[in-house]
Amino acid sequence: MSTPVLEVDDVHREYPGSPPVKALNGVDLTVDAGEMLAVVGPSGSGKSTLLNIMGTLDRPTSGRLVIEGVDTSTLSDRRLSGLRSARLGFVFQSFHLLETLSALDNVATGLLYRGVSGRKRRSMAQKALESVGLGDRLQTRPTKLSGGQRQRVAIARAIVAEPALVLADEPTGNLDTATGDGIVDLLRDLNQDGATIVVITHDADLAGQLPRQVEVRDGLIR
Amino acid sequence: MNWRSKLRFRDLVGTSFLGLRSRRGRTALTALGIAIGIASMVAVVGISASSKAALLAELDAYGTNLLEVSPSSSGLAVEPLPLDAQPMLARVDAVETASAVSKTNLEVRRNVNDSSIAGVTAMGADPELFTTLRMTMATGRPLDDGLGSLPVAVLGEVAAIRLGIHDLSGGPTVSIDGHNFEVIGVLDELPLNPDISRTVIVGDTAAVEILGIKPNPTSVYLRVTPEEMATTRPLLKPTANPDRPAKVNVSRPSDFLEARAEVDRNLQNLLLALGGVALLVGGVGIANVMVISVLERRGEIGLRRAVGATRGHIRSQFVLEAGLLSGLGGVLGVLLGSAITIGYARRQDWVIDLPPFALAAGIGAALVIGMLAGLYPAAKAARLDPALAVSGGT
Ligand SMILES: Nc1ncnc2c1ncn2[C@@H]1O[C@H](COP(=O)(O)OP(=O)(O)OP(=O)(O)O)[C@@H](O)[C@H]1O
Ligand SMILES: [Mg+2]
């Protein structure tokens, strides 16, 4: 069997304070290529902390995160940034789009730190936008898009560099149910086309539509 | 494993510009602070350079080869030049013309009964002086050999103003020591010889015969072949007064004019320092605005980190953004400062001299100040915890 895309191995994360907050207490999780899984759990259970660690935006207090066979604990900030630019894609609840850029340029930002030429970035961004159904909104600014469309732009940005893993933290959190279902359908389509996707949600219905569910509770996987 | 972030330079510049474009109003206001500092410095340098250029042009017109030979004024007793000083000096090879004058203390009045003192004195002069000093007439005509012994006078520009004589209609006269002299002309400005501008010039013969002054010259003005200036100058003292060369003083009137160009140095430095303070304040303003910007843009910073920006990329983006912001102010300031210089020089009828170095330095200084001001906010931005940064909402 091939190397898993991601292995979380006995990861702890403690936020300093008095008393310290133990957000993760020894999480083990393996994600294989082509998988799509939902991470569910109540508020404050540690889902976002786990996703940030999986995405190398945060480091575990102890334990290992292995991405495509490489232990990330020894990597410098520069290497981790490189890893994110090449192998990871993020979708956030609050979209994080740049308001003064068109949808196309927002998506192209996903390739900005890859050293790709502007022309190549835009042509790849156009394809990504077409694949999320926004081929007719290339030059529209995010402020002129609906919430669902904005999240599609953000998803296009996450997949434009063809990452090994897409991490989505509450991608439907800011959307109504119907729009949220559309986003989940889109993520499933992308998964059908080969993308490996982890979706955080506290919506059990949504999680139920995905092939695999993992439940986090009190910093542990149940 | 090719996990490396790479940001092309042009993309870095584009990203920094994007930050400025996204907040136009703030960008303009912040850049204005720098622009004012740079504009004032450019204007100070430009105006003083233009004034100097104008002065040098004036020097060119009147020539730097004019020398004045006069009795040395050190010591109490001023020993007059010998009677034959002028012919002796005229005989020196490189001397093109030599004209003697006798400055007097005789007050010139509008008429005999006038008791007020205008501060104008009379001077006897060889009519050739008009050629030697390259005098031009505001009105009327100069003295010539035929007029040298007649009671006629030419007024210096300042003397004419002080005496209240503006034109020759009605045949104005002046009274020197009780003798009436007919005014036949008024001189133009004499930048090299402001002292003569304050006198009334009469012929040398008339000065001796009518006013009864001693015939010894008080000064001899020389035009010397420019190339032989250096070799000729040492010969002049012993030629003018072979017995007492030490009692002779040789000066070059254009030196005074040139010195005047340097006099304003102190003022210029003060103004430059003020411009510098304005720049400093502008720099602090930029640092302030950038710190606020970093706080507001946590989401953007987090997003950039998520798509692969290194801490260095974030730092460079903000340093460059601050530099460009300030550089924009610099360009604006250079334009403004140049406009001020051109406007001022036009009004003064000066040649416009905007040293390209000063313009480049203005923009360069603005860039550097901006980047320095950006260092702290940029470091703050680079240090942001990416997980925290993305958790905020925008
Ligand atoms: N930066 C932080 N500093 C201190 N404590 C934190 C920090 N981030 C999270 N925590 C704490 O860690 C715990 C887990 O938080 P986390 O955000 O991972 O929960 P979550 O499962 O994503 O919750 P939600 O569903 O509300 O988003 C919580 O108790 C939270 O208060
Ligand atoms: Mg969360």
Side-chain angles (χ1 to χ4, degrees), chain B residues 340-352:
Chain B
I340 292 172
T341 304
I342 291 170
Y344 191 83
R346 283 247 174 89
R347 283 185 63 141
Q348 303 282 326
D349 248 342
W350 289 346
V351 236
I352 294 157

Side-chain angles (χ1 to χ4, degrees), chain B residues 84-122:
Chain B
D84 59 352
Q86 189 270 335
M88 294 298 287
L89 287 167
R91 226 168 281 149
V92 174
D93 260 352
V95 171
E96 294 166 353
T97 61
S99 309
V101 302
S102 302
K103 294 170 186 170
T104 73
N105 291 327
L106 298 175
E107 280 290 340
V108 180
R109 295 187 163 81
R110 206 43 232 280
N111 56 62
V112 188
N113 306 320
D114 193 350
S115 59
S116 67
I117 289 177
V120 177
T121 55

Side-chain angles (χ1 to χ4, degrees), chain A residues 13 52 56-58 67-68 70 72 75 77-79 81-88 90 92 94-98 100-101 109-118 121 157, chain B residues 1-8 11 15 18 21-24 298-300 302-314 317 385-394:
Chain A
R13 178 63 165 102
N52 287 339
T56 75
L57 295 174
D58 192 10
I67 293 177
E68 296 193 314
V70 176
T72 60
L75 297 184
D77 177 75
R78 277 183 56 160
R79 286 279 173 190
S81 300
L83 185 158
R84 289 195 293 271
S85 78
R87 308 307 293 155
L88 300 176
F90 293 86
F92 302 104
S94 52
F95 320 137
H96 285 313
L97 299 175
L98 296 172
T100 44
L101 291 183
T109 305
L111 293 164
L112 186 62
Y113 300 91
R114 292 264 70 220
V116 179
S117 77
R121 287 203 300 272
R157 180 181 61 198
Chain B
M1 169 178 93
N2 177 29
W3 294 347
R4 278 196 106 113
S5 295
K6 200 162 99 200
L7 181 61
R8 297 170 156 220
D11 290 333
T15 301
L18 176 67
R21 273 195 296 145
S22 307
R23 281 157 277 269
R24 285 167 205 264
R298 286 179 38 180
E300 176 197 331
L303 182 273
R304 290 188 185 279
R305 297 283 277 140
V307 296
T310 63
R311 285 199 191 108
H313 290 149
I314 299 293
Q317 176 189 336
D385 176 355
L388 266 181
V390 293
S391 71
T394 20

Side-chain angles (χ1 to χ4, degrees), chain A residues 15-16 21 23 41-50 170 202, chain B residues 388:
Chain A
Y15 291 109
V21 180
S43 187
S45 57
K47 304 183 296 292
S48 291
T49 304
L50 176 59
E170 308 265 14
H202 53 235
Chain B
L388 266 181

